[in-house]
């Protein structure tokens, strides 16, 4: 399980995970981009990304909730909130 | 010469109830849209076979309006059966304005006389050989009523389809065909009437060139392989998958259940970007499977379905399970059993089709003899509407049974169960990768 040093490294790490799993150039991913419509990430790719992030950060995310998320920025915020909750619970 | 190649509008489902189910679960499955809003690969091939001196335009009516007053010299229309009614309307309008109209594609191939009533000439079968002959005849003013392909096209000689003619912003998923022909002789299949049963494929280098051409336009494209069965020739498949790995693409393909016997290939496919595989299970009833395949291939595989699904999906590849309902042994109860089979086996997604007597198929011939084909328009041939009198069910009962399966398999609790199942697979796989 990795520790998050700051928001920037979390953001970079999540974008790298998305880019690797969905085989998209990192340069085409920013906070405002739509995950499904613009990046073409479907539900099976989303689950692979979520599984990787869960393992990496030791968090548990709700599968249905993540499918409702529209943009990369919203996804990063969502993961960050889960990490903060985990830290508070620890 | 100015040539307009037109793909007529196709309906997504042609059915309000199904449309609502798909729309409500769009976050979970966007698969259907990638099928119905796909680029017409046939027209891109025709465009690539047209000499550069001609000005060719592709008009995809799913996105572009058809301008009947356009000053084109020639109109080419390609249609599947469900697009045929609309194709004829377009053809009639252009002919009223004095334009020469030609038609091809799967529907015109199996219903040439019907198509001819709406156009100046019809292409029967693959057009690689006949299109250049036609263009020459057109230049000389001596076109024939019908252009029939004499022999199967040599796939290794095909040029790269003109992807550059597509409106880049309209397509997120690009379809690419590597092979034609399928060895399985399924009663309901229309594609084999055009392509036959002998398997022909492009060279791996050709496929790579095509993908490079696609990536030049859509750098992060998703590729859907249009082949009915991409993995018939395993030696070729391995070589192709090896090259796909270098191209950093995500892709979808269609194949048969025998792929489960080759776990090494499945792992290679996953690491080469394969996300999902459409597999034609057709039915879980042995009696139904007996009727589908003249060589009994699918029947022999039926007992392996559950294990095969587990094997494929545990490699991180989701299955789009293709099933047909309304087969001769289907009953209300067997439809319920099918829904539970899909759920119990965590099939990632299912494509349920109502048995449709596509013209030109053995199924159509048989049901016609049995007087079981209903008088419905071609636009109802979407696979989501009942066009036949089922043997053991009522017409309404089958249509309702169709809705019920989709409602059951896309029920929220079922979807969450499937999502959790796949998340757990991906977590296991990521552990394995880290430990290697």
């Amino acid at each position: 399980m990795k520790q998050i040093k700051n928001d920037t490294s979390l953001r970079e790490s999540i974008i790298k995970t998305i880019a690797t799993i969905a085989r998209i150039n990192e340069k085409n991913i920013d906070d405002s981009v739509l995950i499904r419509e613009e990046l073409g990430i479907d539900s099976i790719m989303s689950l692979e990304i979520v599984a990787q992030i869960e393992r990496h950060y030791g968090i548990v995310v709700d599968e249905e909730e993540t499918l409702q998320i529209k943009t990369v920025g919203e996804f990063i915020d969502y993961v960050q909130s889960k990490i903060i909750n985990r830290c508070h619970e620890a | 010469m100015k040539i307009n190649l037109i793909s007529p509008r196709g309906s997504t489902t042609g059915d309000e109830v199904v449309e609502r189910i798909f729309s409500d679960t769009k976050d979970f499955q966007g698969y259907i849209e990638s099928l119905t809003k796909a680029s017409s690969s046939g027209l891109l091939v025709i465009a690539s076979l047209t000499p550069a001196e001609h000005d060719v335009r592709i008009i995809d009516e799913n996105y572009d309006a058809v301008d009947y007053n356009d000053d084109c010299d020639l109109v080419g229309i390609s249609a599947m059966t469900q697009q045929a009614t609309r194709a004829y309307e377009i053809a009639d309008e252009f002919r009223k304005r004095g334009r020469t109209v030609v038609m091809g594609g799967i529907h015109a191939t199996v219903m040439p006389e019907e198509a001819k009533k709406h156009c100046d000439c019809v292409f029967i079968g693959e057009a690689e050989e006949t299109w250049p002959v036609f263009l020459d005849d057109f230049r000389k003013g001596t076109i024939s009523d019908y252009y029939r392909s004499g022999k199967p096209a040599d796939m290794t000689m095909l040029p790269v389809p003109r992807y550059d003619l597509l409106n880049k912003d309209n397509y997120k998923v690009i379809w690419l065909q590597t092979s034609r022909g399928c060895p399985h002789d399924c009663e309901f299949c229309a594609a084999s009437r055009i392509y036959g049963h002998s398997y022909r494929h492009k060279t791996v280098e050709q496929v790579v060139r095509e993908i490079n051409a696609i990536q030049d336009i859509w750098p992060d494209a998703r590729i859907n392989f249009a082949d009915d069965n991409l993995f018939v020739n395993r030696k070729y498949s391995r070589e192709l998958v090896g090259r796909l790995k270098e191209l950093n693409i995500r892709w979808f393909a269609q194949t048969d259940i025998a792929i489960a016997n080759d776990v090494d290939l499945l792992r290679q496919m996953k690491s080469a970007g394969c996300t999902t595989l459409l597999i034609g299970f057709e039915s879980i009833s042995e009696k139904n499977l007996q009727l589908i395949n003249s060589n009994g291939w699918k029947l022999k595989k039926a007992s392996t379905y559950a294990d095969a699904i587990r094997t494929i999906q545990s490699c991180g590849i989701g299955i789009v399970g293709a099933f047909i309902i309304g087969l001769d042994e289907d009953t209300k109860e067997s439809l319920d059993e099918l829904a539970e089979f899909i759920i119990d086996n965590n099939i990632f997604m299912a494509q349920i089709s109502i048995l449709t007597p596509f013209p030109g198929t053995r199924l159509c011939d048989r049901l016609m003899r049995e007087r079981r084909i209903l008088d419905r328009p071609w636009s109802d041939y979407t696979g989501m509407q009942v066009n036949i009198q089922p043997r053991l069910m009522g017409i309404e009962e089958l249509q309702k049974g169709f809705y019920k399966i989709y409602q059951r398999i896309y029920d929220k609790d079922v979807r969450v169960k499937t999502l959790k199942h796949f998340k757990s697979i991906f977590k296991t796989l990521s552990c394995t990768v880290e430990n290697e």
Side-chain angles (χ1 to χ4, degrees), chain B residues 250-391:
Chain B
R250 53 245 166 105
W251 51 277
F252 154 98
Q254 306 176 73
T255 188
D256 62 54
I257 196 69
I259 195 77
N261 299 332
D262 199 339
V263 174
D264 180 58
L265 179 59
L266 283 166
R267 288 186 183 138
Q268 297 295 325
M269 287 159 58
K270 172 64 187 159
S271 67
C274 177
T275 59
T276 25
L277 282 177
L278 183 139
I279 294 178
F281 295 95
E282 323 311 355
S283 177
I284 55 169
S285 149
E286 295 197 353
K287 284 182 182 169
N288 276 332
L289 291 172
Q290 210 157 15
L291 295 169
I292 286 174
N293 246 179
S294 55
N295 62 6
W297 191 88
K298 297 218 169 176
L299 172 65
K300 285 176 212 152
K301 294 285 173 194
S303 62
T304 70
Y305 279 179
D307 285 342
I309 292 163
R310 200 174 312 114
T311 302
I312 295 165
Q313 296 200 142
S314 67
C315 292
I317 296 171
I319 290 177
V320 179
F323 296 93
I324 299 171
I325 62 168
L327 292 161
D328 277 2
E329 297 296 326
D330 273 334
T331 60
K332 187 171 168 291
E333 290 71 31
S334 75
L335 267 46
D336 291 341
E337 283 167 20
L338 173 60
E340 296 316 307
F341 175 87
I342 292 165
I343 295 165
D344 291 346
N345 288 285
N346 293 299
I347 293 181
F348 187 66
M349 231 174 267
Q351 177 188 289
I352 312 295
S353 304
I354 298 173
L355 186 69
T356 304
F358 287 107
T361 60
R362 286 194 289 119
L363 173 73
C364 180
D365 296 343
R366 176 169 70 84
L367 294 185
M368 206 146 12
R369 282 195 306 274
E370 295 172 8
R371 297 177 185 280
R372 287 170 55 196
I373 297 182
L374 307 179
D375 185 18
R376 298 277 159 90
W378 294 130
S379 53
D380 276 2
Y381 278 55
T382 60
M384 303 205 185
Q385 281 120 331
V386 182
N387 295 302
I388 58 158
Q389 173 60 59
R391 197 173 78 91

